[in-house]
Amino acid sequence: MPFIVNTDAERAEMLSQIGVQNFDELIADIPEEIRLKRALDLFPAMGEPEVKRLLELMAASNAATCDHVSFLGAGAYDHFIPAAVKTISSRSEFYTAYTPYQAEVSQGTLQAIYEYQSVMCRLYGMDVANASMYDGASALAEAALMAVNITGRNGVVVAGKLHPYSRQVLETYLEAAGERAIVQNSIENGIGSVASLEALVTSEVAAVIVQQPNFYGCLEEVEVIGEIAKKNGALFIVMADPVSLGVLEAPGNYGADIAVGEGQPVGNAQSFGGPYLGIFTVKQAHVRKIPGRLVGMTKDKDGNDGFILTLQTREQHIRREKATSNICSNQALCALQSVVHLSLLGKEGIRDVANRSMQKAHYLADRIAELPGFSLKYSAPFFREFVVETPIPAATIIEKMLEKKVFAGVDLSAWGEDGLLVAVTEKRTKEELDSFVSELASLG
């Protein structure tokens, strides 16, 4: 919001209305030792042209995917976003809309959310989707808490390789809720060991969680994992990438009780890490325990379609002890961008994006594996992302490739592992892929 300067007379009037003599009296409850007693260290005053020039210079120090070839992944992907997505979502009706507490004056916003929910239900093969969560990681953590709430148990088992950041969020949520820490089954060839999982999932476990594709890009044995969860009475939670569902089976079709995801790859730019979109879907049996808010469609007294907030299970709206979540909002604008993008793509379009990403990723993986000193770390099937074992440190490759205006991938040493995690989207051309291979060959 803009900073609006008040005059001395206006400030005096406000203080008088509050019932104090001066500003010091207004902040009397703030201890002296934590008050700032010096002037703020600000830039000298500048005019608009000077400020604009300064900000442009600062922005120019960033390397962006608009002028670099990107093989970055690990949860944020450089997919093409049609110009229509931004044009539609930037309309003032959407861009300035506030939380739709008053349904009668928020029909457009509510309908947009309803359409988003409908699309996500179809994409994930589930019965109900909420109005969205903060991001994929918080959606996963809320799913775990929901499973604890439903089952009355407190053990959570992660089957396979979960994104380290999602795991951190999950651990924070569970610890704050006083629940038992999560248990991770062993990893073999880039995916979770089914034999190991069998021993870990007992009648005390509330949920079994799997990411599909997993952090390494590999495809987990989700159907078997789901069967193990069901056999022991645990809920089956799947964190699925939305683009992958153009070619992979929807979680609802192989028994997921709760399916979540990160919505960034559909309609949302990488934007230095956010804001992103948490997708949250459930089976009908669990709708009363869903976090956040749910938009429904009804009829008014004249028989016309109308949209309302059907369900809000947070403490602001119901008795605190009955609240299932303290999530207080949803990512309406990011959700809108996703539904616009998916609507523009259509059923065949999302399949095409997924197919091209997958085919190009496998082409690049095969070419890299032919280079002396380079190899694929895992032989498990993968979607659009894979781990490369390199003859020199991954950090060195990334640094050298930046000189060529290429983001070579993600260095797994940040998580104590070896390898370069490489992602390929439909945007990459054959020339870019071949050039990347040639550059790697010169470095190796």
Side-chain angles (χ1 to χ4, degrees):
M1 295 181 183
F3 175 69
I4 302 172
V5 178
N6 297 305
T7 65
D8 290 340
E10 289 168 335
R11 282 193 288 270
E13 183 180 355
M14 286 189 285
L15 290 169
S16 175
Q17 288 292 326
I18 293 169
V20 295
Q21 298 296 315
N22 51 50
F23 183 74
D24 286 337
E25 188 178 338
L26 176 65
I27 62 171
D29 290 335
I30 300 176
E32 282 283 342
E33 59 269 22
I34 66 170
R35 295 190 198 181
L36 185 67
K37 296 183 174 61
R38 58 169 175 79
L40 292 174
D41 184 17
L42 301 175
F43 282 106
M46 288 185 283
E48 183 179 346
E50 290 76 23
V51 171
K52 185 172 183 292
R53 189 175 303 116
L54 173 64
L55 293 175
E56 287 172 344
L57 286 172
M58 293 170 69
S61 65
N62 296 316
T65 53
C66 60
D67 52 21
H68 284 59
V69 175
S70 179
F71 295 98
L72 294 171
Y77 301 92
D78 183 30
H79 285 285
F80 177 71
I81 302 174
V85 172
K86 195 69 175 177
T87 301
I88 294 171
S89 63
S90 296
R91 287 178 60 96
S92 61
E93 303 98 305
F94 294 122
Y95 212 65
T96 63
Y98 185 58
T99 300
Y101 291 123
Q102 293 178 267
E104 66 275 14
V105 293
S106 305
Q107 287 298 290
T109 299
L110 288 166
Q111 182 175 358
I113 296 172
Y114 181 85
E115 301 295 348
Y116 159 81
Q117 293 172 176
S118 302
V119 166
M120 289 306 169
C121 283
R122 293 184 65 185
L123 187 61
Y124 279 76
M126 303 294 280
D127 300 327
V128 182
N130 73 6
S132 75
M133 311 296 275
Y134 297 141
D135 54 26
S138 62
L140 179 65
E142 288 284 344
L145 291 184
M146 180 175 165
V148 169
N149 192 333
I150 291 170
T151 63
R153 306 174 183 181
N154 68 357
V156 177
V157 174
V158 173
K161 187 62 179 179
L162 182 64
H163 194 301
Y165 290 162
S166 296
R167 181 180 176 122
Q168 287 175 6
V169 174
L170 181 61
E171 289 174 341
T172 300
Y173 266 64
L174 290 176
E175 180 183 353
E179 307 299 341
R180 183 156 60 87
I182 64 174
V183 177
Q184 168 78 58
N185 78 320
S186 59
I187 306 296
E188 296 176 2
N189 190 31
I191 62 174
S193 163
V194 171
S196 169
L197 185 67
E198 285 269 17
L200 291 175
V201 182
T202 68
S203 60
E204 299 300 312
V205 171
V208 176
I209 294 170
V210 66
Q211 180 178 333
Q212 181 77 335
N214 69 19
F215 177 62
Y216 299 135
C218 299
L219 303 183
E220 300 280 358
E221 298 181 59
V222 288
E223 292 189 5
V224 178
I225 293 169
E227 290 171 3
I228 294 171
K230 301 289 185 184
K231 183 172 65 176
N232 291 278
L235 292 191
F236 184 32
I237 300 174
V238 180
M239 186 177 193
D241 176 89
V243 172
S244 75
L245 299 178
V247 291
L248 300 181
E249 192 73 79
N253 295 345
Y254 53 81
D257 297 292
I258 308 172
V260 301
E262 172 53 66
Q264 179 276 322
V266 281
N268 292 280
Q270 290 167 293
S271 295
F272 300 95
Y276 285 171
L277 167 67
I279 300 166
F280 197 106
T281 65
V282 301
K283 292 293 188 180
Q284 181 67 38
H286 307 306
V287 66
R288 296 296 303 180
K289 300 292 186 180
I290 198 170
R293 54 170 60 104
L294 184 67
V295 173
M297 184 168 68
T298 186
K299 297 286 186 181
D300 65 14
K301 64 183 180 64
D302 298 319
N304 299 314
D305 290 341
F307 299 91
I308 57 171
L309 283 175
T310 304
L311 189 66
Q312 300 175 85
T313 54
R314 63 168 297 225
E315 79 286 349
Q316 178 179 337
H317 304 288
I318 63 176
R319 286 179 295 181
R320 183 177 297 273
E321 67 274 10
K322 290 186 175 292
T324 60
S325 169
N326 66 359
I327 286 286
C328 61
S329 189
N330 59 284
Q331 294 284 58
L333 197 59
C334 295
L336 175 67
Q337 290 176 176
S338 281
V339 73
V340 171
H341 192 184
L342 288 168
S343 298
L344 290 168
L345 286 173
K347 191 174 182 179
E348 295 303 320
I350 186 68
R351 184 179 292 128
D352 183 52
V353 169
N355 259 320
R356 285 192 285 156
S357 298
M358 181 174 63
Q359 290 168 7
K360 291 178 180 184
H362 282 74
Y363 171 79
L364 181 61
D366 291 343
R367 289 291 314 277
I368 291 175
E370 295 170 355
L371 298 176
F374 290 84
S375 63
L376 299 187
K377 191 169 184 176
Y378 306 116
S379 59
F382 64 92
F383 172 53
R384 63 166 170 222
E385 202 163 10
F386 52 92
V387 181
V388 178
E389 291 188 308
T390 58
I392 60 175
T396 302
I397 292 175
I398 291 170
E399 184 180 355
K400 294 291 185 183
M401 284 293 191
L402 276 175
E403 298 172 5
K404 306 289 185 179
K405 289 199 166 186
V406 173
F407 296 132
V410 176
D411 180 7
L412 293 183
S413 68
W415 296 284
E417 301 186 41
D418 295 324
L420 179 68
L421 184 62
V422 178
V424 186
T425 71
E426 83 287 1
K427 284 180 64 174
R428 301 283 68 85
T429 66
K430 185 175 184 297
E431 291 73 22
E432 289 170 342
L433 301 179
D434 291 340
S435 174
F436 184 47
V437 173
S438 297
E439 295 295 342
L440 287 178
S442 67
L443 294 174

